Amino acid sequence: MTDKELTDGLIIQRKEAIEYMVDKYQKNVIKTAFYFVANMEDAEDLSQEVFLEILKSVGRFKKNSTMNTWIYRITVNKSLDHLRRQKRRDVIHQISTFIRVSNDGTNRNDSEPVIMDTQNEDREKRGILDSAVNSLPDNQRIAFILNKYEDLAYKNIAEIMNLSLSSVESLIHRAKLNLQKKLVNHFSEYANKNK
């Protein structure tokens, strides 16, 4: 089904077009939303909001971009709206990602030594990285996530974000520099390079 056939089918809410849209885009919508909200249940809920928004606003879809680009743009906007509504990025939330719970369900005493296996270390490093990415300014975070997590080309990101190609390049460059500053103390392999 071409973008035009899909758009025409969605405008009249043809069942086959709706099913095709969901089958084709749902996985990417959930994945993109998850990179922003870091919670699978919220990402799945957001995917429903995205598809409802598409059905509601498909008549205003400007065919100067692809359907895929338009859906990414809606997903990013819905994800950011969700984060603003939930105010998930406060200090308490960031700290809670580092609190460990022992096997008996009580919080670990910080004075107790911890023997961590590789999986726990990887999970902790991922948590540190996610926190650092989430602390970036909005435009840097969006550009970085779309490029590094979604593997989108700068040109596609420029279309999604309604920015010039050079602006996207600049945002991603600044995001990398900011992440490097934030992460240098957490990852010893980088700490020695800057001393």
Side-chain angles (χ1 to χ4, degrees):
M1 189 177 288
T2 67
D3 278 0
K4 181 179 179 354
E5 292 169 337
L6 178 58
T7 304
D8 292 344
L10 292 175
I11 287 172
I12 61 172
Q13 297 197 0
R14 207 173 85 231
K15 181 181 176 187
E16 295 82 12
I18 295 169
E19 288 173 352
Y20 178 83
M21 174 190 61
V22 172
D23 287 344
K24 183 172 181 180
Y25 295 106
Q26 185 172 34
K27 194 174 192 177
N28 283 339
V29 167
I30 291 172
K31 186 172 77 165
T32 301
F34 179 78
Y35 287 136
F36 284 95
V37 300
N39 179 300
M40 186 55 74
E41 191 173 307
D42 289 344
E44 289 170 349
D45 289 346
L46 279 169
S47 76
Q48 299 303 315
E49 287 183 37
V50 167
F51 291 123
L52 288 173
E53 179 65 29
I54 291 167
L55 290 173
K56 186 171 90 174
S57 61
V58 71
R60 296 187 308 266
F61 170 57
K62 295 179 176 106
K63 296 174 179 109
N64 56 354
S65 67
T66 66
M67 177 70 75
N68 193 44
T69 298
W70 186 59
I71 291 174
Y72 264 116
R73 188 176 299 139
I74 292 171
T75 304
V76 168
N77 288 338
K78 288 286 182 189
S79 298
L80 293 175
D81 289 346
H82 175 80
L83 290 175
R84 285 184 201 107
R85 280 192 316 263
Q86 297 298 319
K87 299 183 196 250
R88 290 177 170 249
R89 301 301 168 224
D90 60 6
V91 175
I92 294 170
H93 177 71
Q94 291 177 2
I95 292 170
S96 71
T97 62
F98 296 103
I99 295 175
R100 296 205 189 284
V101 177
S102 66
N103 289 339
D104 66 349
T106 60
N107 286 344
R108 174 181 67 78
N109 182 342
D110 286 331
S111 63
E112 295 176 24
V114 177
I115 300 172
M116 295 171 57
D117 60 20
T118 306
Q119 186 177 10
N120 283 340
E121 287 177 11
D122 289 346
R123 191 176 306 126
E124 183 176 340
K125 284 181 179 181
R126 179 61 190 215
I128 292 167
L129 177 61
D130 287 347
S131 291
V133 169
N134 286 331
S135 71
L136 291 171
D138 281 350
N139 278 348
Q140 288 180 27
R141 184 175 73 232
I142 294 166
F144 184 83
I145 286 173
L146 291 175
N147 179 248
K148 299 301 177 190
Y149 294 2
E150 290 293 315
D151 202 27
L152 293 180
Y154 286 9
K155 181 181 180 219
N156 294 16
I157 297 168
E159 287 179 27
I160 291 167
M161 296 181 71
N162 272 343
L163 296 172
S164 69
L165 190 59
S166 60
S167 294
V168 170
E169 290 169 351
S170 177
L171 284 171
I172 292 173
H173 178 72
R174 287 192 317 243
K176 288 177 184 177
L177 291 176
N178 284 334
L179 287 173
Q180 186 177 20
K181 288 177 196 172
K182 292 171 190 288
L183 298 174
V184 71
N185 295 326
H186 292 287
F187 298 100
S188 59
E189 62 265 26
Y190 299 110
N192 293 333
K193 289 180 182 177
N194 291 329
K195 288 185 179 178

